[in-house]
């Protein structure tokens, strides 16, 4: 298949959202037109259709639409009654929203370090961080690879604490036979346009198999109101627009195919890197040998002194790459009040200094992947020559 990239045909973009959506334009626009015909811009039939489909995909009993992945995290904490005096364990190497939800509710963020090979919470360090005040942990399935949920779930069960999965990057992934978002008390998903299932704007989803919790999540997402104008708790207004749900229902039918393409692209990278003569100069991401990695990102590690120069070298060849995430959350200005023991988050700091995410979107071609790998190899080859 040949592709002409939508912005610059000579470039290798990090993601091609326009190209990915283009074959579905007619179908998406007609689904959106149907919403106009009914006028049900909120609570329309497409919302429950998407909720049912996501629940089935994830393997949970309930799915509840909301306005974003960030709201999903906030609602999960609210529905579990987490607030002042409670501690919540989160990774520092993640997107901001994982931790901000905890802080916003007045609970205490407890940052725990990651495993270097998976970029996900280290179960042994989670166990060591649990105190009598610990109310929940939020494992993040970063880059589309599930955290070690077998151990994290066991630790949480033994300690009697709740598990909220931040599965924003992991829709359709699984580990040890259980889907992301079906392990914990609640799973949180995002339909931000760059996620594997991206909408035409913001959107989010919560999953749970607990009937009571499902009801509380719906209650908190709708002003805590039930019945109409009777407010039982102080909720928020967080809804998934019917227009978003309609577009997402169309796109969801293609998710499995897109995921397969991402997985094939990962295999191609492994093969291309194996033949590139780059041994030891960069570290490749680890696939999940006991689960399904869905490769929201393909993230390599580059020695920190070389990382930004390599990224510039690639940019000169019009090859896009990105740093997810350059600053661990415990070093963010807004989290200066969060106590951190010195040296306790070294892996998070090292990851922030070394990571580089490469293009892995579904329509990426073999030729484009060859350019990426050759671009990286040429950077290191030039350095060897100049060092000699
Ligand atoms: C995208 C993302 C979120 C937030 O989702 P939004 O829909 O953008 O609010 C939360 N956590 C992680 C790990 C994410 O990648």
């Amino acid at each position: 298949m040949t592709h002409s990239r939508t912005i610059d045909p000579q470039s290798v973009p990090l993601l091609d959202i326009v190209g990915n959506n283009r074959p579905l334009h007619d179908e998406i626009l007609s689904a959106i037109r149907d919403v106009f015909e009914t006028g049900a811009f909120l609570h329309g039939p497409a919302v429950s259709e998407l909720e049912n489909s996501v629940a089935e995909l994830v393997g949970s009993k309930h799915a509840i639409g909301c306005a974003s992945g960030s709201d999903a995290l906030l609602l999960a904490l609210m529905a579990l009654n987490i607030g002042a005096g409670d501690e919540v364990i989160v990774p520092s190497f993640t997107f901001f929203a994982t931790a901000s939800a905890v802080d916003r509710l007045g609970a205490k963020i407890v940052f725990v370090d990651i495993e270097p090979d998976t970029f996900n919470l280290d179960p042994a360090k989670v166990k060591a961080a649990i105190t009598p005040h610990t109310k929940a942990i939020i494992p993040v399935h970063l880059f589309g690879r599930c955290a070690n949920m077998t151990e994290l779930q066991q630790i949480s069960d033994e300690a009697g604490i709740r598990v909220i999965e931040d599965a924003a990057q992991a829709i359709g992934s699984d580990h040890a036979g259980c889907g992301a978002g079906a392990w914990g008390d609640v799973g949180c998903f995002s339909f931000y346009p760059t996620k594997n299932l991206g909408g035409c704007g913001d959107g989010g989803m919560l999953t749970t198999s607990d009937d009571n919790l499902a009801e509380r999540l719906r209650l908190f997402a709708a002003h805590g109101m039930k019945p109409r104008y009777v407010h039982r708790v102080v909720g928020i207004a967080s809804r998934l627009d019917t227009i978003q749900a309609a577009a997402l229902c169309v796109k969801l039918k293609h998710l499995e195919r897109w995921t397969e393409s991402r997985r094939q692209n990962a295999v191609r990278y492994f093969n291309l890197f194996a033949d590139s003569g780059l041994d030891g100069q960069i570290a490749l991401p680890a696939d999940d040998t006991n689960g399904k990695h869905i490769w929201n990102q393909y993230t390599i590690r580059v020695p920190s002194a070389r990382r930004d120069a390599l990224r510039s070298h690639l940019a000169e060849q019009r090859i896009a790459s990105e740093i997810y995430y350059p600053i661990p959350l415990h070093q963010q200005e807004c989290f200066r009040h969060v106590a951190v023991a010195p040296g306790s988050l070294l892996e998070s700091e090292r990851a922030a200094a070394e990571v580089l995410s490469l293009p892995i979107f579904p329509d990426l071609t073999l030729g484009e992947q060859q350019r990426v790998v050759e671009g990286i190899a040429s950077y290191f080859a030039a350095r060897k020559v100049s060092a000699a």
Side-chain angles (χ1 to χ4, degrees), residues 68-70 73 94-95 97-98 140 166 168-169 190 192 195 203 325:
S68 67
S70 304
L73 289 158
T94 174
F95 179 63
T98 316
V140 180
D166 183 341
Q169 301 182 4
S190 164
Y192 189 84
K195 311 295 186 190
Y325 297 94

Side-chain angles (χ1 to χ4, degrees), residues 55-69:
E56 193 187 328
L57 172 75
V58 166
S60 66
K61 192 166 168 195
H62 306 277
I64 298 133
C66 64
S68 67

